[in-house]
Amino acid sequence: MNNKCDLRNKPKSAKNLFFSGVLVLTLANFLVKAVGLISKIALNRVVGSIGAGYYSSAYEIYAYLYVISTAGLPVALSIMIAKSRSKGRLLETKKIFDIAIILFLIIGFAFSIIMIAFSKQLSQLIGAPETSLCIVAIAPTMLFICLSSCMRGYFQGYQLMAPTAISQFIEAISKVLIGISLALWAKSKGCEDNVVASYTILGVTAGVLLGMIFLYIRKIFFKEERFFSLNEINKEKRSIKEILKEMLAIAIPVTISSSVLSLTTILDTIMVQNRLLVYGMNEIAVRIYYGDYTSLVISMFNLPTIILYPIANALVPMITSAHERKDIDAQKRMRSFSFRFIVIIALPCAMGLGVFSRQILQLLMFRAESVERASPWLAVASASVLFLGIIAITNSFLNSVGKQRLPIMSMLAGASVKLVSNYILLAKIGVMGAPISTVLCYLTASTINIIFVVKYVGNLPGVFKTIVLPLLCSVTSIGASAFLNRFISSYIPSSIATILSIFIAVFLYLVLILRTKTVSESELAILFGDGRMLKMLRKLKILP
């Protein structure tokens, strides 16, 4: 095998990019999303579609402010820590963290106060005045999540993903246990839907606080020295002004591009409810449809990101280090494999979610009437999964080589498409306009990002191996699985038929991907870390 192209010959930290860091974050994200989905199902059942709408409205405002306050600085922190580590500057990494934690403290406190002080105005802005209490309940979370994000960015700069993973799981499980318990208690007291939703959202605040406490304890016992060779450490460190200047130069563009992307959800929050009134729905119907759209559709098409985003997040400090070392070959290998890996995962996820939208929602035991309404919306929105994956990975490429400003343009273009299409389609065809405009938004942004990457970073892998082969494998495996589902669902319970069909689709897809050599042996070695899994695949005749 050509050693030049064999990623197994990279240093241990690079080799473990997709094996340890990504594996840990993927597992954590899977657990977090699974717990979050359970929370959404329970919420939908406890408070109904209207209560879920109140919860979602307040949560989306928090999510947008969360992105503004935390999207850029953790990325800047991980990039700067990776740079300083590559130069042996131990003292500088500590100084960078000290400056960042003060910034995060100020930002988090300010946004918490803003949410409390302007809760009524924010709730009126989205056309749901009843959500003001929910906004107040979730406001302290801004301070806690800012401090958590700072510590996560620091650990990720050292390519340590476990602290982030554990804290995310603590947040998720606490959110469900505390939030649903409070919701049931409020419901038993006969509270109105908006009050029950506000008690539920207190679970988010409590969960984030507990996750932050874990990270703080982990940081106290963290020893940076063991990540530096004694003969490589130098005491050189830049001034506060120089560090702050670089931090903001990276963080501000990343924050703007991320906030514009999150703005698409806020546009839905504001426009869906208002434009559906123009479409001719009454206020109660609007609340019900909006609650179903946010709690079922948005939750489901975001699920595949449990695999997509860890790759993008883990990649940033690694490509940054390779960029600092001017290792062009390493950058090219990582860029090629990670982009194809994203597409290989995202494409069948999008297609499978679209084909099995109704069966998946039924399997998760949402209310029958909600499933009936939401499944066509999810079938359309599922196409966004592929484009979201491409946006995540191409943003990472651009951020890693100092082109943080470019994603702003693509995100603004996508948000503009979303704004215009939402305004037109929601009033013409109802709720279906929201998923259509979402797909158009992410398609626009991902296309522009690809153009930027090719122009300023480097070529992406060929279309045949990246798109055509995974598409053929997806169509074959999911088509066969859908046919099987239609046949066996007449003889066994639909839930069992759905689970069996999905497992068969996944198995067929993996076999086809391996048999067609869409993924090479050297790339499989990155994923599995050693040769044992490869030997087993050969024994099973899955690998040629």
Side-chain angles (χ1 to χ4, degrees):
M1 185 178 293
N2 189 344
N3 287 339
K4 186 177 180 180
C5 297
D6 189 351
L7 294 180
R8 287 174 291 181
N9 291 326
K10 294 299 298 171
K12 183 175 175 59
S13 61
K15 174 184 173 181
N16 288 339
L17 168 61
F18 294 97
F19 181 64
S20 58
V22 170
L23 184 61
V24 168
L25 277 183
T26 299
L27 180 60
N29 276 354
F30 177 80
L31 293 173
V32 168
K33 291 291 185 180
V35 170
L37 189 59
I38 293 169
S39 174
K40 286 289 178 71
I41 295 170
L43 178 66
N44 191 272
R45 286 179 169 270
V46 172
V47 301
S49 296
I50 294 176
Y54 293 142
Y55 178 99
S56 297
S57 296
Y59 191 87
E60 293 308 335
I61 291 174
Y62 153 74
Y64 182 62
L65 294 177
Y66 159 73
V67 168
I68 291 177
S69 58
T70 64
L73 282 172
V75 173
L77 198 55
S78 66
I79 288 174
M80 293 175 69
I81 295 295
K83 285 182 179 180
S84 296
R85 283 184 59 210
S86 69
K87 296 174 182 177
R89 296 178 179 178
L90 171 61
L91 296 179
E92 186 172 274
T93 63
K94 297 180 179 181
K95 190 173 184 179
I96 290 170
F97 175 79
D98 291 340
I99 293 170
I101 199 73
I102 294 172
L103 269 179
F104 274 99
L105 184 63
I106 295 170
I107 293 170
F109 184 76
F111 274 101
S112 292
I113 295 300
I114 288 170
M115 288 185 72
I116 293 171
F118 296 98
S119 59
K120 290 184 178 179
Q121 291 87 339
L122 289 169
S123 63
Q124 289 168 353
L125 176 66
I126 62 174
E130 300 88 348
T131 62
S132 60
L133 192 58
C134 293
I135 295 171
V136 172
I138 203 172
T141 310
M142 292 303 306
L143 175 60
F144 306 146
I145 200 67
C146 280
L147 298 177
S148 294
S149 296
C150 181
M151 289 179 275
R152 287 170 181 168
Y154 187 70
F155 286 126
Q156 288 175 15
Y158 280 90
Q159 295 178 34
L160 292 174
M161 306 302 169
T164 296
I166 295 170
S167 64
Q168 286 176 338
F169 183 69
I170 291 172
E171 287 179 15
I173 199 72
S174 301
K175 178 175 73 173
V176 172
L177 294 178
I178 298 173
I180 298 302
S181 296
L182 289 173
L184 290 170
W185 177 83
K187 194 76 172 176
S188 70
K189 295 295 181 181
C191 297
E192 295 181 0
D193 286 341
N194 65 318
V195 178
V196 176
S198 66
Y199 274 104
T200 309
I201 215 164
L202 278 175
V204 177
T205 303
V208 174
L209 173 61
L210 293 173
M212 183 200 74
I213 291 171
F214 164 78
L215 287 167
Y216 179 72
I217 294 171
R218 179 70 178 84
K219 178 64 176 68
I220 290 175
F221 293 100
F222 181 60
K223 303 296 182 184
E224 296 91 341
E225 291 81 2
R226 46 192 196 88
F227 290 86
F228 292 83
S229 299
L230 290 177
N231 60 341
E232 292 178 353
I233 293 179
N234 71 67
K235 296 182 179 180
E236 184 180 351
K237 57 180 179 179
R238 291 170 292 170
S239 66
I240 293 176
K241 182 179 179 180
E242 289 174 316
I243 291 173
L244 192 57
K245 183 179 178 181
E246 182 183 1
M247 190 176 292
L248 294 177
I250 298 171
I252 291 174
V254 174
T255 299
I256 293 172
S257 62
S258 298
S259 64
V260 171
L261 187 60
S262 295
L263 183 61
T264 61
T265 305
I266 289 291
L267 288 175
D268 274 344
T269 303
I270 296 172
M271 296 183 71
V272 168
Q273 299 182 78
N274 291 327
R275 294 302 289 170
L276 287 181
L277 292 173
V278 176
Y279 177 64
M281 286 187 180
N282 61 53
E283 223 171 285
I284 297 298
V286 167
R287 295 278 184 271
I288 292 172
Y289 276 59
Y290 176 73
D292 286 340
Y293 178 71
T294 54
S295 62
L296 277 68
V297 178
I298 293 178
S299 300
M300 289 306 304
F301 87 73
N302 278 330
L303 270 181
T305 59
I306 63 176
I307 300 175
L308 305 179
Y309 284 119
I311 300 170
N313 291 337
L315 191 68
V316 172
M318 294 210 60
I319 292 188
T320 298
S321 295
H323 184 66
E324 286 294 303
R325 300 192 309 268
K326 302 188 185 305
D327 191 340
I328 304 300
D329 287 341
Q331 293 180 65
K332 185 177 179 181
R333 288 192 297 268
M334 283 187 281
R335 188 170 63 245
S336 175
F337 176 62
S338 56
F339 187 84
R340 289 200 306 106
F341 193 46
I342 284 282
V343 174
I344 286 169
I345 294 170
L347 194 54
C349 286
M351 192 173 295
L353 197 57
V355 171
F356 289 102
S357 58
R358 184 182 301 276
Q359 291 92 332
I360 290 172
L361 293 178
Q362 287 173 338
L363 176 67
L364 296 171
M365 295 182 294
F366 285 110
R367 298 182 179 195
E369 61 272 21
S370 296
V371 171
E372 194 65 31
R373 283 190 292 266
S375 55
W377 307 335
L378 178 58
V380 173
S382 62
S384 299
V385 172
L386 175 61
F387 307 130
L388 276 170
I390 292 174
I391 289 169
I393 201 69
T394 50
N395 276 355
S396 292
F397 295 159
L398 295 168
N399 291 338
S400 299
V401 298
K403 299 292 183 180
Q404 293 90 2
R405 290 186 173 90
L406 294 178
I408 297 174
M409 297 171 63
S410 56
M411 298 305 110
L412 282 172
S416 299
V417 170
K418 173 76 172 174
L419 179 65
V420 173
S421 55
N422 250 358
Y423 187 84
I424 296 170
L425 294 175
L426 285 168
K428 293 286 186 183
I429 61 175
V431 181
M432 184 60 80
I436 292 174
S437 61
T438 298
V439 172
L440 294 175
C441 164
Y442 294 141
L443 171 61
T444 302
S446 61
T447 301
I448 296 174
N449 257 18
I450 288 173
I451 294 170
F452 284 149
V453 168
V454 171
K455 184 174 182 180
Y456 296 105
V457 182
N459 290 331
L460 293 172
V463 173
F464 182 76
K465 201 171 183 181
T466 305
I467 301 292
V468 177
L469 279 179
L471 180 61
L472 291 174
C473 294
S474 298
V475 170
T476 304
S477 58
I478 294 170
S481 178
F483 177 79
L484 176 67
N485 180 265
R486 182 181 292 271
F487 176 75
I488 64 175
S489 58
S490 303
Y491 302 97
I492 60 176
S494 60
S495 57
I496 297 176
T498 299
I499 294 171
L500 184 60
S501 300
I502 291 173
F503 272 110
I504 289 172
V506 171
F507 177 75
L508 284 176
Y509 182 73
L510 290 175
V511 170
L512 289 171
I513 284 292
L514 295 174
R515 295 296 296 180
T516 58
K517 296 186 178 180
T518 303
V519 179
S520 68
E521 275 193 39
S522 61
E523 291 168 342
L524 287 173
I526 303 170
L527 296 173
F528 300 131
D530 56 35
R532 286 176 292 181
M533 182 63 73
L534 297 180
K535 289 178 182 177
M536 187 180 77
L537 291 174
R538 288 194 191 95
K539 285 182 180 179
L540 295 173
K541 305 297 183 183
I542 295 176
L543 269 182

